[in-house]
Amino acid sequence: MSTTTYREAMRDALAAALRDDDRVFLMGEDVGAYGGCFGVSLGLFEEFGPERIRDTPLSEAAFVGAGIGAALGGMRPIVEIMTVNFSLLALDQIMNNAATLLHMSGGQCNVPIVIRMTTGAGRQLAAQHSHSLEGWYAHIPGLRIVTPATVDDARWMLQTALDDPDPVLLFEHGALYGAEGELTDDLGPVDLDRAAVRRSGTDVSLITYGGTLPTVLAAAEELAGRGIDAEVVDLRTLRPLDDEAILGSVARTHRAVVVDEGWRSGSISAEISARITEGVFYELDAPVGRVCSAEVPMPYARHLEIAALPSVDGILQAVEELGLRG
Amino acid sequence: MSTTTYREAMRDALAAALRDDDRVFLMGEDVGAYGGCFGVSLGLFEEFGPERIRDTPLSEAAFVGAGIGAALGGMRPIVEIMTVNFSLLALDQIMNNAATLLHMSGGQCNVPIVIRMTTGAGRQLAAQHSHSLEGWYAHIPGLRIVTPATVDDARWMLQTALDDPDPVLLFEHGALYGAEGELTDDLGPVDLDRAAVRRSGTDVSLITYGGTLPTVLAAAEELAGRGIDAEVVDLRTLRPLDDEAILGSVARTHRAVVVDEGWRSGSISAEISARITEGVFYELDAPVGRVCSAEVPMPYARHLEIAALPSVDGILQAVEELGLRG
Amino acid sequence: MSPLDPAHGRHLLEQMLRVRRMEERCAELYTQSKIRGFLHLYVGEEAAATGVIEQLEPEDAVVATYREHGHALLKGTPMTAILAEMYGVAEGCSGGRGGSMHLFDMDHGVYGGNAIVGGGLPVAVGLALADQLAGRPRVTACFFGEGAVAEGEFHESMNLAALWDLPVLFCCENNLYAMGTALARSESETDIAAKAAAYEMPAWPVDAMDVVAVERAAARAVTAVRNGGGPHFLELRTYRFRAHSMFDPERYRDKAEVRTWRERDPIDLLERRLRDEGSLDDAGMAGIEERVASEVDAAVAFAEAGTPEPVETLGRHVTSEPTGGGVR
Amino acid sequence: MSPLDPAHGRHLLEQMLRVRRMEERCAELYTQSKIRGFLHLYVGEEAAATGVIEQLEPEDAVVATYREHGHALLKGTPMTAILAEMYGVAEGCSGGRGGSMHLFDMDHGVYGGNAIVGGGLPVAVGLALADQLAGRPRVTACFFGEGAVAEGEFHESMNLAALWDLPVLFCCENNLYAMGTALARSESETDIAAKAAAYEMPAWPVDAMDVVAVERAAARAVTAVRNGGGPHFLELRTYRFRAHSMFDPERYRDKAEVRTWRERDPIDLLERRLRDEGSLDDAGMAGIEERVASEVDAAVAFAEAGTPEPVETLGRHVTSEPTGGGVR
Ligand SMILES: Cc1ncc(C[n+]2csc(CCOP(=O)(O)OP(=O)(O)O)c2C)c(N)n1
Ligand SMILES: Cc1ncc(C[n+]2csc(CCOP(=O)(O)OP(=O)(O)O)c2C)c(N)n1
Ligand SMILES: [Mg+2]
Ligand SMILES: [Mg+2]
């Protein structure tokens, strides 16, 4: 065990993958000479050179598509898109090719690509740099969507993603990069099919992932102080969802609040709420609650941005609305 | 009243808008000389000329963006994207600009654009031409999403959409074009904020929109034969959802099945299910059911495509699972 | 013009005829609803794919569009598997899931069948990147219509390929129309080959009604690409004799224009030349037609005898895990 | 070189200085956390926007990028409204919702502030299309960096504008780097102006450290565009003196390179020329600096006194309906 940041954990994961497998390369805007827009790939250019730490022109569609082609050609590309909003420029390649080629080809064309991108708000980057679209991407069959929330997951998820014969989209919340945490040495590949219970509890299930995990853990602490014992489930993977973990937790606690940073309507929270209703309706003591972002393009002003995002208070209130008062 | 097809109703709507308002023009691939990929704009080129029925190069991002710019410049562009899958090429312009400019500019930049596109499966066009993404688009704040399902709505929704100061995405299900129906003359602009009850009933609410409305109505007929009185709610607009209509209906019937052609996980059905749970949990006699498309890129083979889509049988089964047996 | 090697000439003729006769049969089968969905025929354009693919090695890759029946066939996909695919049966080259627009055959280097205009170009660039990184002397030939040139993905892909010196051969099949849109109505600069200059990529136009001219150009380009000369670009000037797809009423072009182009039918041109050069006689021609006809008959019979995939397997091939047919 | 009209020369100098001094203050305010988010400074590039916008009419439109403080200011947006925007207060030109990257001011024809590289080009094309359809003699100047040239949206927009003869002036601010990526590492053809040939669009490079040269080129181009000459393209060759944004450690370029370019600081160049030509003396210069300083001070004071939008209005401006502040 050692203390490190999420950013460094991610960098270690990249370096290890590059060292272990010649087929792995990293490609994206400014991943090389610049050191990565958010410093994640700093130093890798020097170690692995410009062929394997490949700076690209500003051409999201083409370099994501090139990653898909390279994967078809036997490589294991890791493609970085600076920010989730820019990934919209590559959506044709992501949905019409990466997610679809295997099926369209009757099982011939595997696309073992990992596409990483920064997601989320909190840094006053306003409406073209701040959205949380990972839950939205989880709508697309053929993709796996993963959202490391802890230092360990940042370090150890990448290898599982690379081992997946199908396309994996890996979302890194921008606000987590600087977060410190305990790194388990040699933890080894994470089972991406499994959610993780980050805190056990009996009164209510707080279900979340990625950037909102710290907020939810803080809310759980606060609730504990009020005598409410919350269980915190970190989904880790948004597609496929770990139904067993979700429904199992709610069946025990009989109450659930889903917290995510996506816009509320059509969010992954809606899907989870629907599944809980479908799966354990008669176990529920109250309707499933949701805490999401306000349905606005993210505003620049700090106080408005904060107001738009899920907060500890919002979670506490949602728990209260379940009829839980501790 | 007269009988017409959905395609002709849409064409009449376009022609009327072009005649009424000089600021209106239609732009897209092959809308002109070819007569429209699905024949919707047939004859308009001859009547209105190449300036107002504007054939574009294959440049989805640029011509959608140009529509946004033209809207900012005071025009009322109607932009046609042949098929929903191609709209992914324009998603940057749709989300990062059309949906966002008003907010980002602090209320200065209205974008009164209407973007029409064909959606849905049923014609064996396989995995790059058949998806139903309208529910997915409904996640995006700043957009209005409308889905005419009847001849009347095909004829009369467009004007309301054009009158909206904000961007409207209008989805036309490909399987509806040839459908005949009664056209109400001079119905006038449709209130896009309101869902429509297409069949009243007391036992269960079947909630749907667009291409699946005929299937749902057929299922309701079948249920009637079995002594189950289904109410059919046509959402018409997927963003914003008409909560009053949805919750009102379910509060009366105490049971609901949502039917849509999108992939199940993260579908608009999930959102509706979540809202019903949130809104009328204690009125529910059973968990909300969902009938969606199988989570596969649409296969070509006829029998597989049929199996992937919502069907009368699927709906009947979902109703049965609510514990309703007539 | 020196005479063609007779055997090679007849081979080229037969290759083009295989594509032609197969597609003519497809058109019939379409009217009988045996084939469904969109069907885009290559009739009139056969010399383009034939001339280029003739210069490829078996391990080379092809990326094509929805108008790709000929490309797959010429690259080696059995006609049986192509017809079966259009019938939507398990024996199809894409297991019946792709249909006419999505023929895949990894064993023969056929990477689709991409029905998003321009969507195949980035993938071709990526295949070439993999080859470059792995040090494989493989060429990827990427076919697309002149309509694709307006798409952003074309531009981005051209730049990436040229910037990184990738072994791609871009083959633009310029048949003058993108559905109903004539080239001059979609491009401010209609000289397609000249556009490649904006990327510093060697490019030249070819009379693609003349399969020999295409072959000659392709030989030069493929050799250069394979030998590390970076991407090359061929503008294959051709014409589509039939409608864009089976739904197209062809309101946008003159019958006379089509007639004029039909006079330069690439198959007729080559046949005439071979006859003029004494390399082909009636018997020889009949022999070719017969072989082709029986190949087509056999392919149709194969497709007719095909077995639909069980409905229970609907969810297969969404992800690679053996899902037992379930949907993840 | 004939001497500059003294008053006009001093005006140009003052315009550039307004941008420079405003941004220098922004940098300070950023380190004090008064301004947040990303902040991209235009320091070194002022001659580009100054020379072009000087040639525009008040009703003309400007579309720019996230590096647009100067463009907005020069087009007429009050410095007070710009600073207030960066403070995120209601008095900002975008009501505090846009921030540094999204300055909007319809009254002065400022259509953003687009932070998607290449994302503004289609919008500019559309503004010009509206003008053409409405018969308005307006020019839309669209600014973007050379990095945007690799984006598909650049390509598609260039073609549309040229194909439809639209009144757009494309202004490529070629400062040689896109974040850390040098031009030669992102474009196979580094002669940006030459790329316009692929669209049959008149284009030429300009020394954009010389505001007079920019103005001259812009005069020619703007006139042509306004008179129905179709789109034109200026490659404005310039250099960014400072980091890409406030987060950039500048590992990708030599200090010496920056030093060399700084010797051609556009403000120094013009100041020297005006002094040489006897159009400016110390007192004149001091007068300009003083006016500019007090404008900057006033703008900061204005921003400091700004009022945050009430949190209750968070949902405003998502759609146009008077939503009473609620979220639709
Ligand atoms: C991105 C995209 N937009 C539109 C279409 C619809 N479409 C299919 S083929 C076609 C014309 C393409 O023309 P071209 O590239 O010249 O190829 P050709 O059909 O002539 O071989 C169009 C518009 C599509 N498939 N993909
Ligand atoms: C589509 C997109 N990709 C990536 C980015 C991140 N990004 C912001 S500015 C920039 C560099 C752009 O360089 P250039 O166009 O030359 O403009 P400059 O910053 O030099 O003025 C990048 C990569 C973005 N904003 N949008
Ligand atoms: Mg064509
Ligand atoms: Mg630059």
Side-chain angles (χ1 to χ4, degrees), chain B residues 58, chain C residues 45 66-67 144-148 172-179 181 238 240 244:
Chain B
L58 281 142
Chain C
E45 309 186 37
Y66 46 84
R67 198 183 296 290
F144 53 93
E146 89 296 338
C172 178
E173 300 172 320
N174 180 1
N175 62 9
L176 300 176
Y177 292 90
M179 286 188 63
T181 304
T238 183
R240 143 168 82 65
H244 167 73

Side-chain angles (χ1 to χ4, degrees), chain B residues 62 73 92-93 97 108 110 166, chain D residues 93 106 114 136 153 156 320:
Chain B
D92 165 51
Q93 291 297 326
N97 281 340
Q108 290 174 79
N110 286 104
D166 302 315
Chain D
C93 59
M106 296 269 273
N114 198 305
R136 282 188 296 255
E153 293 190 355
E156 296 187 4
S320 300

Side-chain angles (χ1 to χ4, degrees), chain D residues 45 66-67 145-148 173-179 181 240:
Chain D
E45 309 187 37
Y66 45 86
R67 197 182 298 288
E146 89 296 338
E173 300 172 319
N174 180 1
N175 62 9
L176 299 176
Y177 292 90
M179 285 186 63
T181 304
R240 143 167 84 65

Side-chain angles (χ1 to χ4, degrees), chain B residues 42 122 141 154 214 250 283:
Chain B
L42 194 64
V250 180
E283 298 283 351

